[in-house]
Amino acid sequence: MSQQFNHTFVLPVERALYRDVASSYTGAGKIIDAGCFAGGTTTALCEGIHGHFERPPIVAIDRFIVADAYVAAHFAASGVDLRMGESFLPVFLSNISAHVGLVEVRAGDVFAVSRVEDPIEIVSIDIAKTPSINSFLLMHWFPRLIPGVATLLHQDFHAPSQPWVAASMAALAPYFTVFEAKIGETAAFRLERSIAPTALQAAVTLDWRSKDGLKSLELMHEILGAPSNRSVSIMIAKCLKHHGRVADARRIVEALFQSGGFEDDPKWKQWLGMAAATLHPSILSSKQFAAEIYDEDGRFRLGHW
């Protein structure tokens, strides 16, 4: 089993999920690893699949460019000298070297390199960073998912900064089942039946800030159940703020503070700190623990030094 995944953001439990999903791979369609970064998910998928293939079954897609300060800081902390604007493709290729025959590597912008002609059996998405990219993937990849077979791994599903992912998946709830509500930041789904074109179009055009978007987020909150739906609670609070319902949004933040759960989820403290800073800043001055969250996790991303 590969151990060269020290330059990735993927948790060991998420890698285990990817290996488990890949172990059921039938070869009926492609495996897409979109936003593969330095290869943590790609190597896990490679370790899970079995058999011999005429063509590489996995398509790994990424810009492979250090374009964000936190990525540069991550590599620096790992002892890798990569600067803004430089490529980390050599790191990825090194990490997948034991599995190179299983992977077709596509380096570039998703809009330029993401064409897939084959059916899709497994897709991992870690590139839906904007509503437009999310809509693009829905429109171009979801029709190729194999009904009754395809597995969807949404790696940023629980990130409150990307509520359009949860909203669009709620719009497609009649077609997917959740088989892992939350592992790290990932939620895993299986496609049970073909998606009706009208339903797909509704998901593509859904604005998470609209009334329908709010309904979708509330539906996903219900589908996931507690405690896996805590991050969706933050998304709902953000949507409520857009609708001018600031008091309702702040009540959600207050309830989340009271619910605790900081010890069992390494990202939850950061997410809640950011929610407090943006939705309920007064709570930061009135609660010592909230202030600690802000100091430890919110300060760098907000630029308050």
Side-chain angles (χ1 to χ4, degrees), residues 98-138:
H99 313 286
V100 66
L102 296 175
V103 184
E104 173 191 344
V105 182
R106 298 186 186 179
D109 185 88
V110 63
F111 298 114
V113 302
S114 65
R115 178 175 293 176
V116 178
E117 303 290 351
D118 299 295
I120 298 173
E121 184 171 344
I122 299 171
V123 58
S124 166
I125 296 177
D126 191 23
I127 57 172
K129 308 298 185 183
T130 67
S132 60
I133 295 176
N134 186 60
S135 294
F136 179 85
L137 300 179
L138 287 166

Side-chain angles (χ1 to χ4, degrees), residues 112-269:
V113 302
S114 65
R115 178 175 293 176
V116 178
E117 303 290 351
D118 299 295
I120 298 173
E121 184 171 344
I122 299 171
V123 58
S124 166
I125 296 177
D126 191 23
I127 57 172
K129 308 298 185 183
T130 67
S132 60
I133 295 176
N134 186 60
S135 294
F136 179 85
L137 300 179
L138 287 166
M139 187 165 47
H140 291 278
W141 286 357
F142 278 48
R144 298 195 174 277
L145 296 175
I146 304 172
V149 176
T151 298
L152 166 63
L153 301 159
H154 252 310
Q155 198 174 326
D156 274 337
F157 185 87
H158 288 279
S161 58
Q162 298 173 43
W164 45 87
V165 174
S168 61
M169 286 306 299
L172 297 175
Y175 304 94
F176 287 91
T177 55
V178 179
F179 76 91
E180 288 293 352
K182 187 178 187 302
I183 294 185
E185 293 182 52
T186 301
F189 303 83
R190 285 211 170 91
L191 180 65
E192 300 297 341
R193 59 193 183 95
S194 297
I195 303 172
T198 53
L200 185 60
Q201 183 62 24
V204 167
T205 59
L206 179 66
D207 183 347
W208 70 273
R209 296 163 297 188
S210 67
K211 290 183 179 179
D212 286 339
L214 177 58
K215 290 178 181 178
S216 290
L217 290 172
E218 290 172 339
L219 174 59
M220 184 54 68
H221 189 271
E222 180 182 344
I223 290 171
L224 296 178
S228 299
N229 58 10
R230 294 184 302 183
S231 57
V232 180
S233 295
I234 296 177
M235 301 176 200
I236 291 172
K238 292 174 67 173
C239 188
L240 289 171
K241 183 182 178 183
H242 276 285
H243 287 270
R245 296 170 58 183
V246 176
D248 290 335
R250 289 180 174 177
R251 275 192 288 271
I252 290 175
V253 174
E254 290 170 359
L256 291 172
F257 268 105
Q258 294 171 3
S259 68
F262 304 101
E263 298 79 11
D264 62 350
D265 190 334
K267 280 294 185 78
W268 179 238
K269 192 174 184 181

